[in-house]
Amino acid sequence: QLTALLNSDGVLMSILGSDKEPLGANAQRVSFWQGSLPDDGSYFIQLRPVRGLNRSDYRLELTLNSAPSPSPTVSPTPPPGP
């Protein structure tokens, strides 16, 4: 799971998949995004200034957590036969 936080008054980010398309409607021109990344390739975080600004200061914080490991399931053992 990726959490992306962009602190800025003049920059927005888009989270893009390997096809360079946004990873959903809430992944385009935002300052905060949290979600799971598909397992099929590379990903891009695109930063762009707000329209009308040529430049702006920003701080980008990224946290990537690995998926939880699957828990083993216990299968009952049949009793020994005669």
Side-chain angles (χ1 to χ4, degrees):
Q1 177 153 2
L2 174 68
T3 301
L5 174 62
L6 179 62
N7 292 313
S8 172
D9 290 331
V11 177
L12 293 172
M13 70 179 160
S14 296
I15 312 299
L16 310 174
S18 57
D19 59 357
K20 299 203 176 153
E21 293 294 322
L23 294 178
N26 65 341
Q28 191 169 12
R29 299 191 57 78
V30 296
S31 59
F32 176 80
W33 187 83
Q34 185 173 40
S36 297
L37 298 171
D39 295 330
D40 63 352
S42 300
Y43 309 96
F44 303 90
I45 298 174
Q46 182 182 67
L47 303 176
R48 291 203 170 169
V50 173
R51 189 168 285 146
L53 291 179
N54 291 330
R55 59 186 297 182
S56 179
D57 294 330
Y58 64 89
R59 179 178 175 180
L60 178 62
E61 295 179 36
L62 301 173
T63 305
L64 183 61
N65 295 317
S66 60
S69 300
S71 300
T73 54
V74 178
S75 301
T77 308

